[in-house]
Amino acid sequence: MSFFLLLVGFVVLQRLLEILYARFNEKVMKRQGAIEFGAGHYKWIVLLHVLFFLSLLLEVWAIGPEPGTGWKIFLGAFAMAQFLRVWALSSLGRFWNTKILILPGADKVKKGPYRWLPHPNYLVVALEIASLPLIFGAWRTALIFSIANALLLLLVRIPAEEKALQQLKS
């Protein structure tokens, strides 16, 4: 099995496990009174990630699955993103989710990477979307989806999350 299929298989398996973890956390939090915000844009986030993987597979299929120029640097960035992902998820614990769920009365998490960054998991996603394709020279996928992800996060997702947090503070 090629390095490409192993790495993409790892990421897909990781995403599937995260979805299960998020659904478990969602059920627990909603039983405790959590409120969901930004549900209208969630489908666009899911679509972006599905299209990212399809684009990655198609571009690598077209150019070949061999590592590209500078692949070790991009693999290092990808590995760093995985470390930050685990740190962010473990710091949020039961509050981590793929949806915006706010539990009234709960304190904002300020441990782990959240001490320094308000949205470290979004940095993880940005690093992955850029670095994973570049490991294999798929620069078109990296460029297109880095821009699309940045626009979705900066113009839609992060403002929705910040608004949700502010509404519950009031």
Side-chain angles (χ1 to χ4, degrees), residues 104-138:
D107 292 329
K108 190 173 179 180
V109 174
K110 293 183 181 180
K111 64 181 182 177
Y114 294 90
R115 283 181 279 184
W116 303 286
L117 296 170
H119 304 283
N121 203 54
Y122 300 145
L123 175 60
V124 168
V125 172
L127 278 170
E128 286 177 341
I129 285 176
S131 64
L132 182 59
L134 291 174
I135 293 169
F136 301 97

